Every structure is written in structure tokens, then in C-alpha cells.
Amino acid sequence: MASTPAADDGTGERSATRLIAEGVLDGELAGLLWSLLEGGVPLVVATRHGEAAATEVRSAFAALVGSGHATADGALPGGTVHADSLEDLMRFSGAEHLDDVPDEARDLGVVLVLGRATPGEPLRLVRAHYVRPIERDAAGHIQRRPPALLSAWDEQAARLDHFFWAITDELATRVGSDAHDFDVAHRRRVRLLNDLAAARVFEADEIRRHIERAALVEAGTRGAAQADAPN
């Protein structure tokens, strides 16, 4: 179980690994976000506790995925919004319920909601949603499916519950990946993030060095496996 977050409402510059170490979110969700953001899925952070808190989370993941996935202004696609739930956010777009997401809101991507599970607690992630884009089925028919809940804070268990495993194939398709490869990459990233958080590796440059080193090791392992494969 993650430790209780420090009394920091997002006015600093905490890295993704520090957010994990302080219990704002966990490695499982952070690893998923890493893969989705690298695949171009926008990130929206919603909270009623100040734009600085939302911006900090976006900045932490921008540093994690690297500048190659940023927009022209150096930020991740998406943004921040003054809202305390996805329903609250949807009302800004004129939707009365989550089954009626307006077309103009279907490019939101991942929506993270920061809040306090109980009054007086530090901010943490309380909900993570995936807003599905307009899709076409196998017959070419346009589909407008409702958002999916990725993760939610369980107050009794004092941890995040994750539901994204049910739509791993869908998320892999969204970023142009094979479902198996997506799952393998996610597990590796979760392990790396949790190890760095446990070792209190919080500086962006040091995190980047570990990421690059892990990528080199993975590439070397993959190359060796291909060389050993029968012709």
C-alpha cells in the first residue's frame, strides 16, 4: 500500500515517481498513462483545488514521456479544468449524463480527477477515466460509446482499484499496439516506476537516465532473442 501523501497540494514540481512514492497515484496507473500518452492520447486533469495541482501532474508525465510527445508549446496534448468529476466536466459541454458525450468532447482522452477522499486529506487521484473517441465498428457503422472507468480510489481499502484490464485490447488499439506487446510494456514500466519510487529517484534527469538504460537493456534482450530464434 502506498504511503500517505505529503501535505503538498501540487504547488511544487514533483516528478511522477515522487507522486507514486507519496501516494497521489500508483505505479499501475502511472505505467498505463505513460503508454497512452506516448501513443498520443491527450491528458486532462480536473480538480477544484487549484490549477497548480493539475498542472503539476501534467508536467510530471510530460517529463516522463519526453519532449518527443509534446505539442508545439512543449506541453502534453490536453489541459486542466476546474471540475471535481467527469460528470461535472461533461456538463460544461452540455451533456446531462455520461452516455451522451458530445462529439466535441470525445477528444479528451484520459481524464484524471484530483480530490480529497475525506476532508483535510492531501490531494490524490480519486478517479481516472478514458473518454472514447468516435469509432467505427467492423461494418463501418459509427459508434459513440460511453467513457470507461480506468481506476478509482477505494477509501475502505486505502488504495486505487483498477478496471482498465477489461479494455486492454481497446487501449492497445488506440495507440497502434498489439495487445500482448502493450501488456508487456505496461508491466515493465510499472516495475521500473515502482523501483524508482521505492529508491526515491525523483529528479527528472536521473529518471530519464534510468528509462534510457532500461530501453537499451530491453533492446539488447530482444535482439539476443531474435538471434537465438530458429530460422
Side-chain angles (χ1 to χ4, degrees):
M1 184 177 69
S3 60
T4 301
D8 185 336
D9 283 352
T11 56
E13 293 292 335
R14 291 178 292 175
S15 63
T17 54
R18 185 163 184 171
L19 293 175
I20 293 168
E22 295 183 358
V24 177
L25 75 169
D26 65 12
E28 289 282 329
L29 181 58
L32 178 72
L33 295 176
W34 183 355
S35 293
L36 294 178
L37 299 181
E38 274 195 352
V41 179
L43 175 65
V44 175
V45 183
T47 186
R48 288 189 177 275
H49 299 280
E51 185 178 359
T55 299
E56 181 182 56
V57 172
R58 280 179 44 81
S59 296
F61 279 96
L64 185 63
V65 302
S67 59
H69 305 280
T71 57
D73 61 359
L76 288 173
T80 64
V81 64
H82 186 67
D84 59 9
S85 65
L86 181 60
E87 292 84 354
D88 193 17
L89 174 55
M90 287 295 108
R91 281 193 286 271
F92 297 153
S93 302
E96 295 184 1
H97 49 78
L98 292 183
D99 290 336
D100 185 30
V101 177
D103 287 356
E104 59 269 22
R106 286 190 171 272
D107 61 353
L108 289 173
V110 174
V111 177
L112 303 182
V113 180
L114 296 179
R116 293 186 170 92
T118 58
E121 280 195 352
L123 291 180
R124 59 162 40 96
L125 188 137
V126 293
R127 292 284 190 280
H129 304 270
Y130 172 60
V131 180
R132 292 179 167 106
I134 296 174
E135 305 159 303
R136 289 187 181 273
D137 62 19
H141 302 124
I142 290 179
Q143 301 291 316
R144 292 177 172 85
R145 294 189 291 163
L149 180 64
L150 299 176
S151 304
W153 181 254
D154 183 331
E155 178 62 24
Q156 186 171 1
R159 59 173 172 78
L160 281 169
D161 280 342
H162 300 297
F163 310 100
F164 55 79
W165 300 107
I167 61 167
T168 297
D169 289 3
E170 178 183 343
L171 297 175
T173 298
R174 175 70 186 268
V175 300
S177 174
D178 170 83
H180 174 265
D181 291 345
F182 184 86
D183 181 58
V184 170
H186 174 247
R187 293 180 187 280
R188 285 174 174 160
R189 291 174 174 191
V190 170
R191 184 166 57 250
L192 176 60
L193 289 172
N194 284 336
D195 286 349
L196 293 178
R200 303 188 67 79
V201 177
F202 297 152
E203 295 299 322
D205 289 346
E206 193 173 355
I207 293 170
R208 177 55 47 191
R209 284 195 294 272
H210 281 279
I211 290 172
E212 291 172 353
R213 188 178 301 121
L216 287 173
V217 170
E218 180 182 342
T221 302
R222 195 163 50 236
Q226 292 172 348
D228 291 340
N231 294 324

